[in-house]
Amino acid sequence: MTVEKKGTSNADKMDWDKLGFAYIKTDLRYVSVWKNGKWDEGKLTEDNMLTISEGSTSLHYGQQCFEGLKAYRTKDGKIQLFRPDQNAKRMAASCKRLLMPEISEEKFIDACVQVVKANADYVPPYGTGATLYLRPYVIGVGDNLGVRTAPEFIFSVFCSPVGAYFKGGLAPVNFCITDYDRAAPQGTGAAKVGGNYAASLHPHEEAVKRGFADCIYLDPATHTKIEEVGAANFFGITKDGKFVTPKSDSILPSITKYSLMAVAKEYLGLQVEERDVFIKQLDEFSEAGACGTAAVITPIGGIEYNGKLHVFHSETEVGPVTRKLYETLCGIQFGEVKAPAGWIVEAK
Ligand code: PLP
Ligand code: COI
């Protein structure tokens, strides 16, 4: 394995308790190139700049996809990844949807582990709540002009230590319903591709300007059912204690959401339903939350729809079921609670 390393590390300058969700340049990132029909071996490099053709399909036609997963420091100092096989599978599905060469699960996990080990000093200490966020991505590169798949591709994984995406800890935030769509019924909503996020920038800014943490999208066909937040899935806890989350082909299949469904059922003994969630029936829920790798579990205080704020448990306090879900999920991720088989991969 080639490692190009010349500079000095920033790791000793970290203020772990003050981390938000922002880019911090770490020492090494993994880069692999697809050329002449195959991926090369890949290498770690200190260079965080890419030089690509001005004709790259990723620049003009959005031919790119990405992933997000985290490395966690356990109490005994080990570093572990949470379900990287699921990110590998989802990235392969995104690549397929955008006619890009897939990365094998083995190559994907190996790249992530290499990046974590090479930047181990950036994995925040246990107890700070902070983590090392990994951002794998694939982009179409090489000289090109017409709308077609790229002649070459880059697969890279970089990392950045992060704190909370929304508010810190388990603090509820409010969301509003937007009239915009982030995806189409048979579009790319289920793939983790940049175009979905570009489409969400304007609605997000409108929501923030109005004092909300973000907006929630409704289903693009009928605008009657909750889809998801711009960067997280939605769940609700019904008044009779069921864990409910929307089922839709145009939302991102969140690994956190599927993990929570298992946690709710297997650890908390709740009934779990993946089904339509009608915006006019928010009354069925006593608690609600947004979930995702970056968002972890962010309790939803209220949702504004048609000029009215529907408050769930409270705008300032987290509900009891959401708290239990959070504690169990984080317990698994940080190694305090026994994980289901195959969920944890140690970076060693
Ligand atoms: N939905 C969207 C649009 C996202 O960007 C994310 C973040 O990855 C999620 C949901 C949550 O997915 P996951 O739990 O796999 O991180
Ligand atoms: C994630 O949670 O990993 C995401 O990708 C959300 C956002 C930062 C785009």
Side-chain angles (χ1 to χ4, degrees):
M1 175 54 51
T2 328
V3 180
E4 292 168 9
K5 195 168 180 195
K6 295 177 237 65
T8 51
S9 176
N10 285 320
D12 53 356
K13 300 186 197 106
M14 293 295 123
D15 193 348
W16 305 115
D17 297 323
K18 296 216 170 69
L19 290 174
F21 196 86
Y23 179 85
I24 291 171
K25 184 178 179 242
T26 52
D27 295 350
L28 290 155
R29 68 274 308 116
Y30 171 96
V31 180
S32 177
V33 174
W34 189 90
K35 228 182 198 175
N36 303 322
K38 60 176 188 342
W39 289 107
D40 69 10
E41 197 200 336
K43 65 176 184 190
L44 292 172
T45 172
E46 220 171 45
D47 191 357
N48 71 333
M49 293 291 160
L50 295 176
T51 303
I52 59 172
S53 168
E54 61 192 352
S56 294
T57 58
S58 50
L59 297 178
H60 304 277
Y61 306 129
Q63 195 185 26
Q64 63 82 249
C65 66
F66 68 98
E67 272 304 321
L69 66 162
K70 285 173 170 173
Y72 303 80
R73 175 86 63 187
T74 64
K75 206 174 196 168
D76 54 5
K78 289 185 195 149
I79 303 172
Q80 56 188 37
L81 294 170
F82 181 69
R83 308 192 77 181
D85 59 317
Q86 298 301 307
N87 294 90
K89 287 189 173 79
R90 192 170 64 189
M91 180 163 248
S94 298
C95 284
K96 203 168 174 189
R97 180 67 178 81
L98 262 55
L99 218 61
M100 302 195 287
E102 293 168 35
I103 319 292
S104 70
E105 203 169 304
E106 192 190 358
K107 186 177 176 74
F108 181 96
I109 296 175
D110 174 59
C112 292
V113 169
Q114 281 193 48
V115 169
V116 171
K117 284 168 66 180
N119 295 289
D121 291 348
Y122 290 91
V123 183
Y126 173 82
T128 56
T131 51
L132 186 73
Y133 183 77
L134 300 182
R135 173 52 63 83
Y137 62 93
V138 176
I139 56 174
V141 296
D143 296 345
N144 179 67
L145 198 55
V147 181
R148 65 171 68 84
T149 191
E152 293 169 20
F153 294 87
I154 291 174
F155 165 51
S156 179
V157 182
F158 72 84
C159 65
S160 185
V162 297
Y165 189 72
F166 291 112
K167 266 189 209 165
L170 256 187
V173 300
N174 290 343
F175 293 112
C176 59
I177 298 294
T178 179
D179 290 334
Y180 287 101
D181 296 321
R182 69 177 276 286
Q186 306 297 328
T188 55
K192 201 160 171 63
V193 300
N196 298 339
Y197 296 83
S200 77
L201 293 173
H202 182 69
H204 169 81
E205 180 162 272
E206 273 190 359
V208 169
K209 274 191 185 147
R210 296 184 52 236
F212 297 96
D214 204 342
C215 54
I216 291 180
Y217 296 88
L218 298 180
D219 70 290
T222 69
H223 278 209
T224 58
K225 296 174 268 185
I226 288 194
E227 289 257 299
E228 62 176 326
V229 188
N233 274 186
F234 171 90
F235 70 86
I237 307 298
T238 59
K239 289 180 174 158
D240 59 354
K242 289 185 193 131
F243 179 98
V244 175
T245 186
K247 184 164 181 60
S248 161
D249 290 338
S250 47
I251 64 178
L252 191 77
S254 157
I255 295 157
T256 315
K257 186 265 281 288
Y258 286 112
S259 304
L260 282 178
M261 287 169 73
V263 164
K265 188 162 175 249
E266 309 297 338
Y267 290 67
L268 307 190
L270 305 181
Q271 272 189 55
V272 169
E273 290 176 359
E274 199 184 12
R275 49 120 161 128
D276 288 342
V277 173
F278 290 95
I279 186 62
K280 292 220 165 118
Q281 290 173 12
L282 290 181
D283 260 351
E284 67 172 319
F285 300 115
S286 56
E287 298 177 39
C291 64
T293 300
V296 193
I297 291 181
T298 302
I300 302 179
I303 294 179
E304 190 218 53
Y305 177 58
N306 278 348
K308 273 199 206 121
L309 185 72
H310 178 96
V311 176
F312 297 96
H313 179 75
S314 152
E315 279 186 82
T316 51
E317 280 176 24
V318 60
V321 181
T322 306
R323 179 179 293 283
K324 271 193 216 149
L325 287 167
Y326 179 90
E327 284 169 357
T328 313
L329 179 72
C330 294
I332 291 170
Q333 292 170 330
F334 283 101
E336 292 143 6
V337 172
K338 190 168 166 20
W343 278 24
I344 297 297
V345 171
E346 194 184 336
K348 60 175 182 197

